[in-house]
C-alpha cells in the first residue's frame, strides 16, 4: 500500500477541504430558499463553474478519453455543436419564466400552466430518471479504486472468474458507498451554497489535472507530430450518407442508428441539451441561484462555449493514451477496464497520480452533489409540501430537504452498485452510452410537456399530458429495443424479433424522438387553464 501512500494523502487532503467548505457554507441557513437557492445571491461565474461540474461528471472524465482511445478521432465532439445552440434556446425560452413565477422546483411552473397532475407526473419522472442516471455515474468513479486494488493485490487477477467477480463487486460496493457518503456530508449540511462553491474548486482541480496529464502524455509520445500521426482519420463532417444506400429511407434508417454524425450534433444533441438544461432540476437549479434571469442566462450560454474545448481536450487525451500504449505495448490492458483509469493507476507517477485521482473524485462528487441537492429540493417542494405537509414552514421544509438528501444518497449508492453488477456481467458495455442513455427514455416526454407549456397558451391539459408522455416513452422504448434489452439482461434471451421496417435509433436520438411524439400528442388536447405568459 506504500506505493499509493502519497496519492492517498493528497486525496485525503482534498476530501477534508471539500467537507470543510460544506460545514462553512452551512452557517446561517434557516429557510428552504436559502438551502435550495442560496438566497439567489451566487455570482454568475460561480454558477458557471457549478454547471460545468455537474456536466463534466466522472463519465466524461473517464468515458470521453475512452471514446478518443477507441475511435482515435474527434467525431464525438460534433455533439457539442448542438449543445451550444440548445443553450441559447434554454436562455431564451426557459430561464425567464422560472424567474417570473419565482419557482424553487421548476415543476411548479407546470402546475401554474397545466395543473397539479402534470407537475407531479413531471416531478416523478425527474426523481426516477435523475436517480438512475446519477447513481450509474458513481460506479464510473469507483473504477479507479478497483484498479488500484488490483495493482496492490496482483494475486487478485489469478483468481477463478466467479471468485474474482464476487471480490470486484465487494470493492465496487465499498467505493460507491465511500464516495456517496463523503459527498452527502457536505451536501446535506451546506445545501446549494456548499454545492456551488465546492463545484468551483472541483472543476478547477479537474481542469488542472486534465491539462497537466495532456502535456505529460504529449512529452512521452513524440510531441504534436506524434499526436497528429495517431489520429485515425481527419476531423470531418460525417453526414451518415453512404454510397450503398439505395434510397433516402435507407439513409435515414442508417443515420438514426449512428451515435456521432452531423445530424446527431445538430438535431439529436439540441434536444438532449434542451432536456438536460431546461427541464432537469439538477441543472436549472444552478441557474436559479443567480441574482436575476440575465445572469442565469449568461452562465448557461458561457458553459456551452466552454464545453467544446473540454470535450476536444478529453478526446485528445484518449488519442494520446492510444499512442502511449502503441509505443509501450507491454503495458497495455487486456479488454476495456476503463482506459483512462487504467493509465492513471499503472503509468502515472505517485503524487501526480494522486492529483489526477482527486480530479476524478472532484468530477464525481460535483455531479453527485448537484443531483442530491436537486432531488431533495424537488421532493420537498413537489411532494413533502405539495402532498404531505402543505402548511410546512420554510424551516420545516429545509429540515425535510436535509433528510431527503440522506435518503437519496442511499438510493443512489444502491443504483451505483447495481450498475457495477451490470457492467461486470456485460464488460462490452461502453461508459458514455450507459450514462447518457439512461435518461433518454423519459426526458423526451419531460421536454415535450415543457415545450407545450412554454410555447403555447391554449394547448395541453393534464389528462392529455399523461397520455402524451406515456406515448413518448413507449415509442422510444420500441425504437431502442428496450423490452428485448431488459429481457436479455434477466434471461439471456430475446423476447421477440424486431420487424425489418422498424428503425433502431442510437442513444443520441432518444430524447428527440420522445419529444416529438409527446408534443404531437399533447397538442391534440385543448388547455383548461387561462395562462398568462
Amino acid at each position: 500500500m506504500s506505493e499509493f501512500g502519497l496519492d492517498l494523502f493528497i486525496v485525503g487532503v482534498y476530501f477534508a477541504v471539500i467537507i470543510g467548505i460544506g460545514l462553512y457554507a452551512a452557517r446561517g441557513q434557516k429557510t428552504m430558499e436559502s438551502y435550495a437557492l442560496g438566497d439567489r445571491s451566487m455570482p454568475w461565474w460561480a454558477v458557471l463553474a457549478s454547471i460545468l461540474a455537474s456536466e463534466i461528471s466522472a463519465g466524461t472524465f473517464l468515458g470521453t478519453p475512452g471514446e478518443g482511445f477507441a475511435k482515435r478521432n474527434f467525431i464525438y465532439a460534433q455533439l457539442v455543436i448542438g449543445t451550444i445552440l440548445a443553450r441559447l434556446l434554454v436562455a431564451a425560452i426557459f430561464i425567464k419564466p422560472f424567474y417570473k413565477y419565482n419557482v424553487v422546483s421548476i415543476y411548479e411552473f407546470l402546475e401554474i400552466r397545466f395543473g397539479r397532475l402534470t407537475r407531479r407526473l413531471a416531478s416523478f419522472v425527474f426523481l426516477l430518471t435523475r436517480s438512475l442516471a446519477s447513481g450509474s455515474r458513481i460506479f464510473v468513479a469507483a473504477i479507479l479504486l478497483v484498479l488500484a486494488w488490483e495493482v496492490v493485490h496482483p494475486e487478485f487477477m489469478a483468481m477463478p472468474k466467479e471468485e474474482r467477480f464476487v471480490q470486484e463487486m465487494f470493492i465496487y460496493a465499498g467505493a460507491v458507498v465511500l464516495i456517496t457518503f463523503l459527498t452527502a456530508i457536505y451536501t446535506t449540511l451546506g445545501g446549494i451554497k456548499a454545492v456551488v462553491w465546492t463545484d468551483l474548486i472541483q472543476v478547477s482541480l479537474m481542469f488542472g489535472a486534465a491539462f497537466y496529464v495532456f502535456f505529460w502524455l504529449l512529452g512521452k509520445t513524440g510531441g504534436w507530430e506524434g499526436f497528429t500521426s495517431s489520429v485515425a482519420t481527419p476531423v470531418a463532417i460525417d453526414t451518415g450518407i453512404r454510397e450503398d444506400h439505395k434510397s433516402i429511407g435507407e439513409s435515414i434508417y442508417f443515420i438514426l442508428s449512428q451515435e456521432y454524425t452531423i445530424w446527431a450534433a445538430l438535431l439529436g444533441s439540441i434536444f438532449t441539451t434542451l432536456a438536460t438544461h431546461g427541464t432537469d432540476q439538477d441543472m436549472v437549479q444552478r441557474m436559479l441561484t443567480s441574482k436575476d434571469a440575465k445572469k442565469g442566462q449568461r452562465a448557461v450560454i458561457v458553459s456551452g462555449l466552454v464545453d467544446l474545448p473540454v470535450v476536444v481536450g478529453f478526446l485528445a487525451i484518449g488519442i494520446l493514451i492510444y499512442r502511449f500504449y502503441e509505443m509501450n505495448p507491454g503495458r497495455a490492458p487486456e479488454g476495456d477496464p476503463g482506459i483512462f483509469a487504467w493509465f492513471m493507476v499503472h503509468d502515472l507517477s505517485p503524487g501526480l497520480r494522486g492529483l489526477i485521482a482527486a480530479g476524478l473524485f472532484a468530477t464525481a462528487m460535483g455531479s453527485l452533489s448537484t443531483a442530491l441537492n436537486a432531488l431533495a429540493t424537488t421532493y420537498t417542494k413537489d411532494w413533502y409540501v405539495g402532498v404531505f405537509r402543505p402548511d410546512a414552514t420554510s424551516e420545516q421544509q429545509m429540515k425535510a430537504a436535509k433528510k431527503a438528501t440522506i435518503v437519496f444518497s442511499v438510493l443512489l449508492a444502491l443504483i451505483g452498485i447495481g450498475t457495477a453488477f451490470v457492467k461486470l456481467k456485460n464488460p462490452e458495455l461502453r461508459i458514455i452510452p450507459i450514462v447518457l442513455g439512461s435518461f433518454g427514455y423519459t426526458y423526451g416526454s419531460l421536454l415535450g410537456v415543457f415545450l407545450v407549456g412554454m410555447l403555447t397558451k391554449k394547448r395541453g391539459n393534464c389528462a392529455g399530458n399523461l397520455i402524451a408522455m406515456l406515448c413518448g416513452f413507449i415509442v422510444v422504448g420500441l425504437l431502442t429495443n428496450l423490452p428485448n434489452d431488459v429481457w436479455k439482461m434477466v434471461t439471456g434471451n430475446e423476447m421477440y424479433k424486431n420487424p425489418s421496417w422498424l428503425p433502431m435509433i442510437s442513444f443520441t436520438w432518444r430524447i428527440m424522438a420522445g419529444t416529438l411524439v409527446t408534443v404531437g400528442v399533447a397538442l391534440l388536447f385543448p388547455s383548461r387553464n387561462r395562462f398568462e405568459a
Side-chain angles (χ1 to χ4, degrees):
M1 185 62 72
S2 59
E3 178 182 355
F4 293 93
L6 179 58
D7 302 323
L8 290 173
F9 175 76
I10 292 172
V11 173
V13 170
Y14 159 74
F15 283 146
V17 170
I18 292 299
I19 293 174
I21 292 173
L23 292 172
Y24 182 82
R27 301 182 311 160
Q29 287 188 349
K30 295 182 180 180
T31 67
M32 182 63 189
E33 287 68 26
S34 177
Y35 186 79
L37 298 179
D39 297 316
R40 300 190 191 270
S41 62
M42 306 304 296
W44 76 268
W45 46 267
V47 176
L48 165 64
S50 186
I51 292 173
L52 291 173
S54 182
E55 291 175 330
I56 305 169
S57 66
T60 303
F61 198 90
L62 295 182
T64 305
E67 294 293 319
F69 181 86
K71 311 236 179 226
R72 284 184 292 138
N73 59 39
F74 295 94
I75 296 299
Y76 175 72
Q78 289 182 151
L79 297 182
V80 179
I81 299 172
T83 72
I84 296 173
L85 296 175
R87 286 168 217 250
L88 296 173
L89 294 175
V90 169
I93 298 172
F94 291 89
I95 304 302
K96 190 174 180 180
F98 292 149
Y99 271 90
K100 176 181 179 180
Y101 292 103
N102 198 33
V103 300
V104 176
S105 163
I106 62 173
Y107 309 109
E108 295 176 61
F109 169 82
L110 294 179
E111 181 172 355
I112 297 170
R113 172 62 175 85
F114 297 113
R116 188 166 299 173
L117 176 62
T118 300
R119 172 186 178 180
R120 290 178 181 171
L121 180 61
S123 175
F124 174 77
V125 168
F126 164 74
L127 291 173
L128 176 63
T129 308
R130 176 47 58 193
S131 295
L132 292 173
S134 296
S136 66
R137 287 176 175 178
I138 308 174
F139 147 77
V140 180
I143 293 174
L144 182 66
L145 296 178
V146 174
L147 290 175
W149 176 272
E150 292 175 356
V151 171
V152 176
H153 300 277
E155 70 279 2
F156 178 79
M157 299 304 294
M159 290 181 178
K161 187 175 181 180
E162 291 185 2
E163 185 176 346
R164 193 172 71 191
F165 174 82
V166 173
Q167 286 273 33
E168 281 190 309
M169 273 304 306
F170 180 79
I171 301 168
Y172 270 117
V176 166
V177 170
L178 175 64
I179 294 170
T180 307
F181 173 73
L182 292 173
T183 306
I185 291 176
Y186 74 81
T187 306
T188 303
L189 294 173
I192 194 65
K193 286 185 178 179
V195 169
V196 171
W197 289 120
T198 54
D199 280 352
L200 176 62
I201 292 176
Q202 288 163 338
V203 81
S204 301
L205 179 60
M206 183 273 298
F207 281 149
F211 186 81
Y212 190 94
V213 78
F214 172 79
F215 283 98
W216 187 91
L217 276 166
L218 204 62
K220 296 286 185 180
T221 55
W224 291 104
E225 183 178 351
F227 169 67
T228 55
S229 68
S230 296
V231 178
T233 56
V235 179
I237 295 177
D238 182 2
T239 64
I241 305 298
R242 302 293 182 265
E243 292 182 358
D244 59 342
H245 295 158
K246 299 178 181 179
S247 66
I248 295 177
E250 286 182 346
S251 296
I252 293 175
Y253 273 42
F254 182 80
I255 290 170
L256 292 175
S257 68
Q258 301 304 299
E259 296 172 350
Y260 312 131
T261 67
I262 189 61
W263 306 111
L266 291 176
L267 295 176
S269 187
I270 285 178
F271 279 87
T272 298
T273 305
L274 281 174
T276 58
H277 289 66
T279 70
D280 186 318
Q281 178 76 19
D282 183 3
M283 197 65 68
V284 178
Q285 192 170 335
R286 315 277 82 73
M287 307 168 203
L288 296 183
T289 63
S290 298
K291 184 176 181 180
D292 54 46
K294 288 185 178 180
K295 290 184 172 60
Q297 291 169 329
R298 184 187 305 169
V300 70
I301 292 172
V302 175
S303 71
L305 299 177
V306 175
D307 255 1
L308 181 58
V310 169
V311 172
V312 169
F314 277 112
L315 289 172
I317 288 173
I319 295 172
L320 285 172
I321 292 175
Y322 177 88
R323 178 165 176 80
F324 179 84
Y325 286 127
E326 188 178 41
M327 297 171 63
N328 303 275
R331 305 184 68 87
E334 296 181 5
D336 179 19
I339 193 64
F340 195 20
W342 173 279
F343 169 75
M344 290 166 60
V345 170
H346 290 84
D347 294 297
L348 286 179
S349 59
L352 174 59
R353 183 171 52 202
L355 288 173
I356 303 301
L360 169 63
F361 291 128
T363 62
M365 295 172 72
S367 58
L368 178 59
S369 64
T370 57
L372 288 174
N373 190 262
L375 288 165
T377 299
T378 301
Y379 165 77
T380 302
K381 297 300 292 186
D382 295 336
W383 298 94
Y384 177 75
V385 177
V387 179
F388 306 117
R389 289 288 302 276
D391 58 343
T393 65
S394 187
E395 185 174 0
Q396 289 173 329
Q397 293 177 38
M398 184 184 71
K399 291 179 179 178
K402 290 186 175 184
K403 292 178 181 177
T405 303
I406 296 172
V407 173
F408 280 112
S409 299
V410 175
L411 176 61
L412 265 58
L414 292 175
I415 294 171
I417 294 170
T419 304
F421 178 85
V422 172
K423 175 64 175 174
L424 291 177
K425 283 289 188 181
N426 303 274
E428 72 281 358
L429 290 177
R430 287 167 33 228
I431 291 173
I432 288 289
I434 292 176
V435 174
L436 295 184
S438 57
F439 59 75
Y441 295 105
T442 56
Y443 269 29
S445 297
L446 198 60
L447 174 60
V449 169
F450 266 100
L451 287 177
V452 172
M454 295 282 187
L455 300 178
T456 73
K457 296 181 180 180
K458 299 180 179 180
R459 306 309 300 176
N461 59 56
C462 285
N465 291 340
L466 174 61
I467 296 171
M469 293 179 74
L470 184 61
C471 288
F473 173 77
I474 291 173
V475 169
V476 173
L478 292 175
L479 293 179
T480 56
N481 208 25
L482 177 62
N484 263 338
D485 288 345
V486 174
W487 191 253
K488 285 173 66 176
M489 194 177 299
V490 176
T491 67
N493 302 311
E494 288 189 342
M495 182 186 298
Y496 56 87
K497 292 290 183 181
N498 288 304
S500 59
W501 53 265
L502 185 67
M504 291 291 106
I505 62 175
S506 72
F507 76 92
T508 48
W509 295 102
R510 292 175 187 173
I511 289 181
M512 176 178 166
T515 301
L516 294 178
V517 172
T518 302
V519 169
V521 175
L523 289 176
L524 299 176
F525 296 84
S527 177
R528 295 171 182 170
N529 293 341
R530 183 176 181 274
F531 177 70
E532 296 294 338

